[in-house]
Amino acid sequence: MSHIRHLNLFVTCISAAANALCAGGVFTFPLMSPALVAHLKLTQPQLTTIALAGMMGQYPFAAVVGKVIDRYGPWACSLVSACLFSSGFGLFAREIAKTPDDISQPSSSSFHHLTLYFFIAGLGTVFSYFSSVFSASKNFPDFIGMASGTMMALFGLSPMFFSLVASTFFSTPQNGLDVTHYLQFLCILCGSVHLLGALALTIPASARVDSDIVSEAEDDPEAVADENTSLIPGKRPQAQVQVIPVEEADAVADLLRDGNFWLLAFVTFVVLGSSEMVLSNIGTIVLSVPAQSSSIVKAFEASSDATTSLQVRILSLANTISRLLVGPLADFISPVASLLPSGERSFARKHHMSRVLFLTFSTTALALTFSWMVFGVRSEASLWALSAGVGIAYGCAFTVLPSLVSSIWGMPNLGRNYGVLTYAPFIGTPCFSYLYAFVADRQHQSYGVCKGVECWQLTFFVSLIAAVVALCVTLRLWKTWKGMI
């Protein structure tokens, strides 16, 4: 019987990894934006709106998706994402294919259709992301940082994977990216992988979460646990665990009444919102600055498409590496607390440092990166620092947030609480992105891409100030939650 459980767990891990790797299609929009400008004559605000539709599609129903995860399991989310990816990418490809090549100005109907279709694909992204991350987290609750970090790392690697596929199989030096066939490929691959995930993603009965333990304790009054009681049957009790009283957020109202939640939401607003502004607009940022020979970009100077692809890969690689490192490191220096039936929280391993450290690092990295954009970048060769800095900050923050939420507000409603928190970037991403779009559009009043550092210098100056304020907030949270996470 144990062999069957191990086999099921192996299949679940492979399926979750495949979902994560195939979930980031919307993040390759910068690869498509030059072709959309040339073929559909879209303006910068229109490009930003379509990109935002994909980014923001991840967030409006995040709390609902979290509730689906908590109640039905990751398989249901994988099934929904299969339908959404297939329809979103497929309809997007169809809209581009039916648009004539000789139009002289953007079509309003095509713009609205593309925005809707990319929103559908973005909605598929959040269902896919939750299915992989929480499948891993709930199968390995004792190592939530490593489990979720690994899935997030693969999710972060997804744009790089698709970028390599796009440049290898769907691009030519003469014509650039064949957007229509690339989107058709995304439609088939993402739909198929997530359909298989609906069959494979399970949470074994042995992988019990805190809510099951609490329920059993309520049914059996004699099941009283102290700080040395093992929380999972079959495990030896841990010695010298630290016990801290906590208040569970049983309802969303309890969560919203906590002032620290709003501080964490502000940090999330800034870090994820400004990072996703860069993720969705790196293509036009590349086009806005002059090319300059450099050992870093020398091999990729053949076209703007190749340079944009390079920046997407740097973003993806930095994002992935930070997620791979942060998950295990956070588990080591800041072990996740477990909920005792008595309403207290215990650490089974020695706690070295607060997990807020990683948010402080993210905000610091963003502040330094945006400073470089404002005062240092004057050519295309210097943009690698933007891609690397944003990728590191984005991956680090995203990796640590689920464990922060579970440590402070408990595991039973982790999906819901994390979903509520993700409304912060739902607001932050359009704020920063439209700031970028309208600043660029003000500098360039015709169709095409704005040229020059003035297209984004004000945007990054405002982002720099926001990152510094967010850094101060993380220091406040570090002090408030000292010894708790």
Side-chain angles (χ1 to χ4, degrees), residues 26-27 29-30 33 36 43-60 92 111 114-123 125 269 272-282 424-438:
V26 295
F27 296 104
F29 182 80
S33 56
L36 296 180
T43 64
Q44 181 60 62
Q46 289 175 325
L47 285 174
T48 297
T49 299
I50 296 172
L52 271 178
M55 292 289 184
M56 293 173 60
Q58 302 174 76
Y59 300 123
F92 200 103
F111 162 63
L114 293 177
T115 302
L116 174 62
Y117 301 152
F118 218 56
F119 176 84
I120 293 173
L123 188 57
T125 302
F269 169 93
L272 301 189
S274 61
S275 296
E276 291 184 349
M277 175 267 291
V278 176
L279 286 168
S280 58
N281 292 289
I282 189 66
F426 174 65
I427 300 171
T429 299
C431 288
F432 285 101
S433 295
Y434 276 120
L435 172 64
Y436 169 83
F438 289 122

Side-chain angles (χ1 to χ4, degrees), residues 199-218:
L199 302 175
L201 293 180
T202 59
I203 299 177
S206 59
R208 302 167 62 188
V209 296
D210 291 342
S211 55
D212 298 324
I213 300 166
V214 173
S215 177
E216 287 184 7
E218 291 173 349

